[in-house]
Amino acid sequence: MAYAQSQLTKLHRSVKRGSYDKELVAKILDAGVVAHVAFVDAEGHPKVSPMIYGRAGDALYLHGHLSAGLLRNGSIDVCFCMTLEDGLVLARSGMHSSMNYRCVMVHGKAEELEGDAKWKALDLIVDHSAGEGWASQLRPMTSAEVQSTRVLKLKLEDGKVSAKVRAEGANDDKEDIENLNLWAGIIPITRVYGPPVNNHDSSLRPPEQMLRRDEPPCRGHRSWRCLALHTRTDGIPSIVRGDRTVRRARRARAHGAWWKWPRSLGLGWRWDSGPSDFGREAGTCLGTNPNIGTASGRGA
């Protein structure tokens, strides 16, 4: 299933990287935490606000204090943009250097919610950032807290949603490849959740749900491609393609640190198999890039 295109969402540059696929849009949104929301305020000034959000079905939910700029006047036309940075693409020319990324852009009217829908949306936003079911473990929000907060619902509708993904290496000119003795490649960018740190007034052990956040999501997921990174005798790191299953990929660990990469991106979870150039201990998780989400359907 795909969102219908319109003049508003039609791509004019690098069209092959664009997508209107609903499943891909959902996976990108679920892998993010913060979006940037553009709007025009009551005085006609264009502004952009970084905001955490939540998604349920074909709708996004935004919230904030009543006095916040975007939320002062209730329903409002917005442009929502969420981007995941996946890698620095370094070419032999500055002009051909780029980034790998996943991005979703949504246009539409963000409409104010009231009543039960407002309460449910607030819990949804908490769960999106902290983990599914976390809101149900907390003290319930009070009526005063909810009344001081405005919640907006932005529908994902035909003609108003598009995604764009770059997942490739540098596209250098042929003459530069042949004539320049310069390195080109990708520096992966990953997001890692570290171990929980207690608040200054808390001595309790962090709950298991939070302790698990720094574990690799999706061990054994068969839709991931496994690669091995090793160092050749000349000291140059190289990548060896492994089998798509984790079981066989473990054989590649003899080469050194190995990475578990999403099939469509070439970037992702990476583990050390022992002392290596990364200087990490065996089994350490160094990052994630969940284009296809985790086993539970949400990126880390």
Side-chain angles (χ1 to χ4, degrees):
M1 297 291 288
Y3 293 102
Q5 299 183 41
S6 69
Q7 286 300 115
L8 189 63
T9 60
K10 182 179 179 180
L11 298 176
H12 299 280
R13 171 72 177 164
S14 301
V15 177
K16 66 179 183 179
R17 295 174 185 156
S19 175
Y20 304 89
D21 181 76
K22 291 186 177 182
E23 184 178 2
L24 176 62
V25 167
K27 287 176 178 177
I28 295 175
L29 290 171
D30 288 349
V33 178
V34 176
H36 289 83
V37 184
F39 64 101
V40 178
D41 68 13
E43 288 73 40
H45 303 299
K47 295 183 178 180
V48 176
S49 293
M51 305 182 74
I52 62 173
Y53 63 92
R55 181 191 72 86
D58 285 334
L60 297 168
Y61 297 90
L62 310 169
H63 85 297
H65 194 270
L66 293 175
S67 63
L70 172 63
L71 300 157
R72 289 176 187 169
N73 301 308
S75 300
I76 187 172
D77 290 319
V78 300
C79 178
F80 171 104
C81 182
M82 197 283 292
T83 303
L84 299 170
E85 302 89 356
D86 293 327
L88 300 175
V89 180
L90 305 179
R92 296 170 179 83
S93 163
M95 184 60 67
H96 292 313
S97 295
S98 184
M99 288 194 71
N100 281 338
Y101 59 86
R102 287 162 287 157
C103 177
V104 169
M105 188 170 291
V106 182
H107 301 265
K109 179 177 285 294
E111 299 183 343
E112 185 173 4
L113 293 181
E114 295 290 355
D116 290 344
K118 181 178 181 180
W119 289 73
K120 291 179 181 178
L122 288 169
D123 284 346
L124 178 72
I125 294 170
V126 172
D127 284 353
H128 180 87
S129 59
E132 186 175 354
W134 184 247
S136 64
Q137 303 179 45
L138 306 178
R139 170 186 59 79
M141 300 178 191
T142 66
S143 296
E145 289 173 335
V146 175
Q147 289 172 6
S148 67
T149 304
R150 180 163 280 137
V151 178
L152 302 179
K153 177 181 179 180
L154 177 61
K155 294 181 180 180
L156 302 174
E157 300 177 303
D158 285 338
K160 296 183 179 181
V161 181
S162 63
K164 198 171 185 181
V165 176
R166 189 190 194 281
E168 58 188 277
N171 297 312
D172 275 314
D173 294 334
K174 183 178 179 181
E175 53 269 28
D176 288 343
I177 297 173
E178 294 175 348
N179 301 323
L180 298 178
N181 186 28
L182 295 174
W183 178 85
I186 299 172
I187 306 297
I189 299 175
T190 57
R191 184 172 72 237
V192 180
Y193 287 107
V197 178
N198 276 24
N199 201 49
H200 66 89
D201 54 6
S202 176
S203 60
L204 297 178
R205 183 179 186 274
E208 288 299 322
Q209 181 176 355
M210 293 301 145
L211 293 172
R212 292 196 303 268
R213 294 205 64 148
D214 62 345
E215 294 179 356
C218 212
R219 287 188 186 272
H221 199 297
R222 292 181 177 270
S223 61
W224 292 57
R225 171 177 296 166
C226 300
L227 302 179
L229 178 69
H230 70 102
T231 302
R232 301 192 321 223
T233 54
D234 56 8
I236 300 175
S238 300
I239 292 176
V240 178
R241 178 171 296 176
D243 189 86
R244 291 176 182 171
T245 66
V246 174
R247 178 178 57 82
R248 294 188 181 180
R250 285 174 179 153
R251 300 173 185 171
R253 299 177 83 173
H255 294 288
W258 63 275
W259 299 13
K260 201 167 88 168
W261 292 9
R263 179 179 303 176
S264 59
L265 283 186
L267 300 170
W269 280 101
R270 181 173 75 187
W271 285 270
D272 281 350
S273 62
S276 67
D277 293 339
F278 297 108
R280 302 293 186 94
E281 296 178 355
T284 300
C285 171
L286 301 182
T288 184
N289 187 355
N291 182 51
I292 59 172
T294 67
S296 61
R298 170 174 288 185

Coordinates of all heavy atoms in Angstrom, one line a residue, residues 144-211:
A144 N -5.1 18.6 36.0 CA -4.4 19.8 35.9 C -3.2 19.8 34.9 O -3.0 20.7 34.1 CB -3.9 20.3 37.3
E145 N -2.5 18.6 35.0 CA -1.4 18.5 34.1 C -1.9 18.4 32.6 O -1.3 19.0 31.7 CB -0.6 17.2 34.4 CG 0.2 17.3 35.7 CD 0.8 16.0 36.2 OE1 0.3 14.9 35.8 OE2 1.8 16.0 36.9
V146 N -2.9 17.6 32.4 CA -3.4 17.5 31.1 C -4.0 18.8 30.5 O -3.9 19.1 29.4 CB -4.5 16.3 31.0 CG1 -5.1 16.2 29.7 CG2 -3.8 15.0 31.4
Q147 N -4.7 19.5 31.4 CA -5.3 20.8 31.0 C -4.3 21.8 30.6 O -4.6 22.7 29.8 CB -6.2 21.3 32.1 CG -7.5 20.5 32.3 CD -8.3 21.0 33.5 OE1 -7.9 22.0 34.2 NE2 -9.3 20.2 33.9
S148 N -3.1 21.7 31.1 CA -2.0 22.7 30.8 C -1.3 22.3 29.5 O -0.3 23.0 29.1 CB -1.0 22.8 32.0 OG -0.3 21.6 32.1
T149 N -1.7 21.2 29.0 CA -1.0 20.6 27.8 C -1.9 20.6 26.6 O -3.1 20.3 26.7 CB -0.5 19.2 28.1 OG1 0.3 19.2 29.2 CG2 0.3 18.7 26.9
R150 N -1.4 20.9 25.4 CA -2.2 20.8 24.2 C -1.7 19.7 23.4 O -0.4 19.5 23.2 CB -2.1 22.2 23.4 CG -2.9 22.1 22.1 CD -3.2 23.5 21.6 NE -4.3 24.2 22.3 CZ -4.3 25.4 22.8 NH1 -3.2 26.2 22.6 NH2 -5.3 25.9 23.4
V151 N -2.6 18.9 22.8 CA -2.2 17.7 22.0 C -2.8 17.9 20.6 O -4.0 18.2 20.5 CB -2.7 16.4 22.6 CG1 -2.3 15.2 21.7 CG2 -2.1 16.2 24.0
L152 N -1.9 17.7 19.6 CA -2.4 17.8 18.2 C -2.2 16.5 17.5 O -1.3 15.7 17.8 CB -1.5 18.9 17.5 CG -1.5 20.3 18.1 CD1 -0.6 21.2 17.3 CD2 -2.9 20.9 18.1
K153 N -3.2 16.3 16.6 CA -3.2 15.0 15.8 C -3.0 15.4 14.4 O -3.7 16.3 13.8 CB -4.5 14.3 16.0 CG -4.7 13.1 15.1 CD -6.0 12.4 15.3 CE -6.2 11.2 14.4 NZ -7.5 10.5 14.6
L154 N -2.0 14.8 13.7 CA -1.6 15.1 12.3 C -1.9 13.8 11.6 O -1.1 12.8 11.8 CB -0.2 15.6 12.2 CG 0.3 15.8 10.8 CD1 -0.5 16.9 10.1 CD2 1.8 16.2 10.8
K155 N -2.8 13.8 10.7 CA -3.2 12.6 9.9 C -2.1 12.4 8.8 O -1.7 13.3 8.2 CB -4.6 12.7 9.3 CG -5.7 12.7 10.4 CD -7.0 12.8 9.8 CE -8.1 12.8 10.8 NZ -9.5 12.9 10.2
L156 N -1.8 11.1 8.5 CA -1.0 10.7 7.4 C -2.0 10.4 6.3 O -2.6 9.4 6.2 CB -0.2 9.5 7.7 CG 0.8 9.6 9.0 CD1 1.4 8.3 9.3 CD2 1.8 10.7 8.7
E157 N -2.1 11.4 5.3 CA -3.1 11.3 4.3 C -2.5 11.2 2.9 O -1.4 11.7 2.7 CB -4.0 12.5 4.4 CG -4.8 12.6 5.7 CD -5.6 13.8 5.8 OE1 -5.1 14.9 5.6 OE2 -6.8 13.7 6.0
D158 N -3.3 10.7 1.9 CA -2.8 10.7 0.5 C -2.5 12.1 0.1 O -3.2 13.1 0.4 CB -3.9 10.1 -0.3 CG -4.1 8.6 -0.2 OD1 -3.1 8.0 0.2 OD2 -5.1 8.1 -0.6
G159 N -1.4 12.2 -0.7 CA -1.0 13.5 -1.2 C -0.3 14.4 -0.2 O 0.0 15.6 -0.6
K160 N -0.1 13.9 1.0 CA 0.6 14.8 2.0 C 1.8 14.1 2.7 O 2.3 14.7 3.6 CB -0.5 15.2 3.0 CG -1.6 16.1 2.4 CD -2.5 16.5 3.5 CE -3.6 17.4 2.9 NZ -4.6 17.9 4.0
V161 N 2.1 12.9 2.2 CA 3.2 12.1 2.9 C 4.2 11.6 1.9 O 3.8 11.1 0.8 CB 2.6 10.9 3.7 CG1 3.7 10.1 4.4 CG2 1.5 11.3 4.7
S162 N 5.5 11.7 2.2 CA 6.5 11.2 1.4 C 7.7 10.8 2.2 O 7.9 11.3 3.3 CB 7.0 12.2 0.3 OG 7.5 13.3 0.9
A163 N 8.5 9.8 1.7 CA 9.7 9.4 2.4 C 10.8 9.4 1.4 O 10.6 9.4 0.1 CB 9.6 7.9 2.9
K164 N 12.1 9.6 1.9 CA 13.2 9.6 1.0 C 14.4 8.9 1.8 O 14.6 9.2 2.9 CB 13.6 11.0 0.6 CG 14.5 11.1 -0.6 CD 14.7 12.6 -1.0 CE 15.5 12.7 -2.3 NZ 15.7 14.1 -2.7
V165 N 15.1 8.0 1.0 CA 16.1 7.2 1.7 C 17.3 7.2 0.7 O 17.2 6.9 -0.4 CB 15.7 5.8 1.9 CG1 16.8 4.9 2.5 CG2 14.5 5.7 2.8
R166 N 18.5 7.6 1.3 CA 19.8 7.4 0.6 C 20.5 6.3 1.3 O 20.8 6.4 2.5 CB 20.6 8.7 0.6 CG 21.8 8.6 -0.4 CD 22.8 9.7 -0.2 NE 23.7 9.8 -1.3 CZ 24.8 9.0 -1.4 NH1 25.1 8.1 -0.5 NH2 25.6 9.1 -2.4
A167 N 20.9 5.3 0.6 CA 21.6 4.1 1.2 C 22.6 3.6 0.2 O 22.5 2.5 -0.3 CB 20.6 3.1 1.6
E168 N 23.6 4.3 0.0 CA 24.6 4.0 -1.0 C 25.9 4.7 -0.7 O 26.0 5.6 0.1 CB 24.2 4.3 -2.4 CG 23.8 5.7 -2.6 CD 23.2 6.0 -3.9 OE1 23.9 6.2 -4.9 OE2 21.9 6.1 -4.0
G169 N 27.0 4.3 -1.4 CA 28.3 4.9 -1.2 C 28.4 6.1 -2.1 O 27.5 6.7 -2.6
A170 N 29.7 6.6 -2.2 CA 29.9 7.8 -2.9 C 29.8 7.6 -4.4 O 30.2 6.5 -4.9 CB 31.3 8.3 -2.6
N171 N 29.3 8.5 -5.2 CA 29.2 8.4 -6.6 C 30.3 9.4 -7.3 O 29.9 10.5 -7.7 CB 27.8 8.8 -7.1 CG 26.8 7.8 -6.5 OD1 27.0 6.6 -6.6 ND2 25.7 8.3 -5.9
D172 N 31.5 8.9 -7.2 CA 32.6 9.8 -7.7 C 32.6 9.7 -9.3 O 32.2 8.8 -9.9 CB 33.9 9.3 -7.2 CG 34.3 9.9 -5.8 OD1 34.1 11.1 -5.7 OD2 34.7 9.1 -4.9
D173 N 33.2 10.8 -9.8 CA 33.4 10.8 -11.3 C 34.5 9.8 -11.7 O 35.4 9.5 -10.9 CB 34.0 12.2 -11.7 CG 32.9 13.3 -11.5 OD1 31.7 13.0 -11.5 OD2 33.3 14.5 -11.3
K174 N 34.3 9.2 -12.8 CA 35.2 8.1 -13.3 C 36.7 8.6 -13.3 O 37.5 7.8 -12.8 CB 34.8 7.7 -14.7 CG 35.6 6.5 -15.2 CD 35.1 6.0 -16.6 CE 36.0 4.9 -17.1 NZ 35.5 4.5 -18.4
E175 N 36.9 9.8 -13.7 CA 38.3 10.2 -13.8 C 38.9 10.4 -12.4 O 40.1 10.2 -12.2 CB 38.4 11.5 -14.6 CG 37.5 12.6 -14.1 CD 36.1 12.6 -14.8 OE1 35.7 11.6 -15.2 OE2 35.5 13.7 -14.9
D176 N 38.1 10.8 -11.4 CA 38.6 10.9 -10.1 C 38.9 9.5 -9.5 O 39.9 9.4 -8.8 CB 37.5 11.6 -9.2 CG 37.4 13.1 -9.5 OD1 38.3 13.6 -10.1 OD2 36.3 13.6 -9.1
I177 N 38.1 8.5 -9.8 CA 38.4 7.2 -9.3 C 39.7 6.7 -9.9 O 40.5 6.0 -9.2 CB 37.2 6.3 -9.6 CG1 35.9 6.7 -8.9 CG2 37.5 4.8 -9.3 CD1 34.7 5.9 -9.4
E178 N 39.9 6.9 -11.2 CA 41.1 6.4 -11.9 C 42.4 7.2 -11.6 O 43.4 6.6 -11.5 CB 40.8 6.4 -13.4 CG 39.7 5.5 -13.8 CD 39.3 5.6 -15.2 OE1 39.8 6.5 -15.9 OE2 38.6 4.7 -15.8
N179 N 42.2 8.5 -11.3 CA 43.4 9.3 -11.3 C 43.8 9.8 -9.9 O 44.9 10.3 -9.7 CB 43.3 10.5 -12.2 CG 43.0 10.1 -13.7 OD1 43.6 9.1 -14.1 ND2 42.1 10.9 -14.4
L180 N 42.9 9.8 -8.9 CA 43.2 10.4 -7.6 C 43.5 9.2 -6.6 O 42.7 8.3 -6.5 CB 42.0 11.2 -7.1 CG 41.7 12.4 -8.0 CD1 40.5 13.2 -7.4 CD2 42.9 13.4 -8.1
N181 N 44.5 9.4 -5.9 CA 44.9 8.4 -4.8 C 44.3 8.9 -3.5 O 45.0 9.3 -2.6 CB 46.4 8.3 -4.7 CG 46.8 7.2 -3.8 OD1 46.1 6.2 -3.6 ND2 48.0 7.3 -3.2
L182 N 43.0 9.0 -3.5 CA 42.3 9.5 -2.3 C 41.3 8.4 -1.8 O 40.6 7.7 -2.6 CB 41.5 10.8 -2.6 CG 42.4 12.0 -3.0 CD1 41.5 13.1 -3.5 CD2 43.2 12.4 -1.9
W183 N 41.1 8.4 -0.5 CA 40.1 7.4 0.1 C 38.7 7.9 -0.1 O 38.4 9.1 0.0 CB 40.4 7.2 1.6 CG 39.5 6.3 2.3 CD1 39.5 5.0 2.4 CD2 38.3 6.7 3.0 NE1 38.5 4.4 3.1 CE2 37.7 5.5 3.5 CE3 37.6 7.9 3.3 CZ2 36.5 5.5 4.2 CZ3 36.5 7.9 4.0 CH2 35.9 6.7 4.5
A184 N 37.8 7.0 -0.3 CA 36.4 7.3 -0.3 C 35.6 6.2 0.4 O 36.0 5.1 0.3 CB 35.9 7.5 -1.8
G185 N 34.5 6.6 1.1 CA 33.8 5.5 1.8 C 32.7 6.1 2.7 O 32.4 7.3 2.5
I186 N 32.2 5.3 3.6 CA 31.1 5.7 4.5 C 31.6 5.6 5.9 O 32.2 4.6 6.3 CB 29.9 4.7 4.3 CG1 29.4 4.8 2.8 CG2 28.8 5.1 5.2 CD1 28.3 3.8 2.5
I187 N 31.2 6.6 6.7 CA 31.4 6.6 8.1 C 30.0 6.4 8.7 O 29.2 7.3 8.7 CB 32.0 7.9 8.7 CG1 33.3 8.2 7.9 CG2 32.2 7.8 10.2 CD1 34.4 7.2 8.1
P188 N 29.7 5.2 9.2 CA 28.3 4.9 9.8 C 28.0 5.8 11.0 O 28.9 6.1 11.8 CB 28.4 3.5 10.2 CG 29.5 2.9 9.4 CD 30.5 4.0 9.3
I189 N 26.8 6.3 11.0 CA 26.3 7.0 12.2 C 25.2 6.1 12.9 O 24.3 5.7 12.2 CB 25.6 8.3 11.8 CG1 26.7 9.2 11.1 CG2 25.0 9.1 13.0 CD1 26.1 10.5 10.5
T190 N 25.4 5.9 14.2 CA 24.4 5.0 14.9 C 24.0 5.7 16.2 O 24.7 6.6 16.7 CB 25.1 3.7 15.2 OG1 26.3 3.9 16.0 CG2 25.5 2.9 14.0
R191 N 22.9 5.2 16.7 CA 22.4 5.7 18.0 C 22.4 4.6 19.0 O 22.0 3.5 18.7 CB 20.9 6.2 17.9 CG 20.4 6.8 19.2 CD 19.1 7.5 19.0 NE 18.0 6.5 18.9 CZ 17.2 6.5 17.8 NH1 17.4 7.4 16.9 NH2 16.2 5.6 17.7
V192 N 23.0 4.8 20.1 CA 23.2 3.8 21.1 C 22.6 4.2 22.4 O 22.8 5.4 22.9 CB 24.7 3.5 21.4 CG1 24.9 2.4 22.4 CG2 25.4 3.1 20.1
Y193 N 21.8 3.4 23.0 CA 21.2 3.6 24.4 C 22.2 3.1 25.4 O 22.5 1.9 25.4 CB 19.9 3.0 24.5 CG 18.8 3.7 23.8 CD1 18.2 3.1 22.6 CD2 18.3 4.9 24.2 CE1 17.2 3.7 21.9 CE2 17.3 5.5 23.5 CZ 16.7 4.9 22.4 OH 15.7 5.6 21.7
G194 N 22.7 3.9 26.2 CA 23.6 3.5 27.3 C 22.9 2.9 28.5 O 21.6 2.9 28.5
P195 N 23.6 2.4 29.5 CA 22.9 1.9 30.7 C 22.2 3.0 31.4 O 22.7 4.2 31.4 CB 24.1 1.3 31.5 CG 25.3 2.0 31.0 CD 25.1 2.3 29.5
P196 N 21.1 2.7 32.1 CA 20.4 3.7 32.8 C 21.2 4.4 33.9 O 22.0 3.7 34.6 CB 19.2 3.0 33.4 CG 19.1 1.7 32.6 CD 20.4 1.4 32.1
V197 N 21.0 5.7 34.2 CA 21.7 6.4 35.2 C 20.6 6.9 36.2 O 19.7 7.6 35.8 CB 22.5 7.6 34.7 CG1 23.1 8.4 35.9 CG2 23.5 7.1 33.7
N198 N 20.6 6.5 37.5 CA 19.6 6.9 38.4 C 19.6 8.4 38.6 O 20.6 9.1 38.6 CB 19.9 6.2 39.8 CG 19.4 4.8 39.9 OD1 19.2 4.1 38.8 ND2 19.1 4.3 41.1
N199 N 18.4 8.8 38.8 CA 18.2 10.2 39.2 C 18.8 10.5 40.6 O 19.0 9.6 41.4 CB 16.7 10.6 39.2 CG 16.4 12.1 39.1 OD1 17.0 12.7 38.2 ND2 15.6 12.6 40.0
H200 N 19.1 11.8 40.9 CA 19.8 12.1 42.1 C 19.0 11.7 43.4 O 19.6 11.4 44.4 CB 20.1 13.6 42.2 CG 18.9 14.4 42.2 ND1 18.3 14.8 43.4 CD2 18.1 15.0 41.2 CE1 17.2 15.5 43.2 NE2 17.1 15.7 41.9
D201 N 17.7 11.6 43.2 CA 16.8 11.2 44.4 C 16.3 9.8 44.3 O 15.3 9.5 45.0 CB 15.7 12.2 44.5 CG 14.9 12.3 43.2 OD1 15.1 11.6 42.2 OD2 14.0 13.2 43.1
S202 N 16.9 9.0 43.5 CA 16.4 7.6 43.3 C 17.5 6.6 43.6 O 18.6 6.7 43.0 CB 15.8 7.4 41.9 OG 15.4 6.0 41.7
S203 N 17.2 5.6 44.4 CA 18.2 4.6 44.7 C 17.7 3.2 44.2 O 18.4 2.2 44.5 CB 18.5 4.5 46.2 OG 17.3 4.3 46.9
L204 N 16.6 3.2 43.6 CA 16.0 1.9 43.1 C 16.8 1.4 41.9 O 17.4 2.1 41.1 CB 14.6 2.1 42.7 CG 13.6 2.5 43.8 CD1 12.2 2.7 43.3 CD2 13.6 1.5 45.0
R205 N 16.8 0.1 41.8 CA 17.4 -0.6 40.6 C 16.5 -0.3 39.4 O 15.3 -0.4 39.4 CB 17.4 -2.1 40.8 CG 18.1 -2.8 39.6 CD 18.2 -4.3 40.0 NE 18.9 -5.0 38.9 CZ 18.4 -5.5 37.8 NH1 17.1 -5.3 37.6 NH2 19.2 -6.2 37.0
P206 N 17.1 0.2 38.3 CA 16.3 0.4 37.1 C 15.5 -0.8 36.6 O 15.9 -1.9 36.8 CB 17.3 0.8 36.0 CG 18.5 1.2 36.8 CD 18.5 0.4 38.0
P207 N 14.3 -0.6 36.1 CA 13.5 -1.7 35.7 C 14.1 -2.5 34.5 O 14.8 -1.9 33.8 CB 12.1 -1.1 35.3 CG 12.5 0.3 35.1 CD 13.6 0.7 36.0
E208 N 13.7 -3.7 34.4 CA 14.3 -4.5 33.3 C 14.0 -3.9 31.9 O 14.9 -4.0 31.0 CB 13.7 -6.0 33.4 CG 14.2 -6.8 34.6 CD 15.7 -7.0 34.5 OE1 16.2 -7.2 33.4 OE2 16.3 -6.9 35.6
Q209 N 12.9 -3.3 31.8 CA 12.6 -2.7 30.5 C 13.6 -1.7 30.1 O 14.0 -1.6 28.9 CB 11.2 -2.1 30.5 CG 10.8 -1.4 29.2 CD 9.4 -0.9 29.3 OE1 8.7 -1.0 30.3 NE2 8.9 -0.2 28.2
M210 N 14.2 -0.9 31.1 CA 15.2 0.1 30.8 C 16.6 -0.5 30.7 O 17.4 -0.1 29.9 CB 15.2 1.2 31.8 CG 13.9 2.0 31.8 SD 13.7 2.8 30.2 CE 11.9 2.7 30.0
L211 N 16.8 -1.6 31.4 CA 18.1 -2.3 31.4 C 18.3 -2.9 30.0 O 19.4 -3.1 29.5 CB 18.2 -3.3 32.5 CG 18.3 -2.7 33.9 CD1 18.2 -3.9 34.9 CD2 19.6 -1.9 34.1

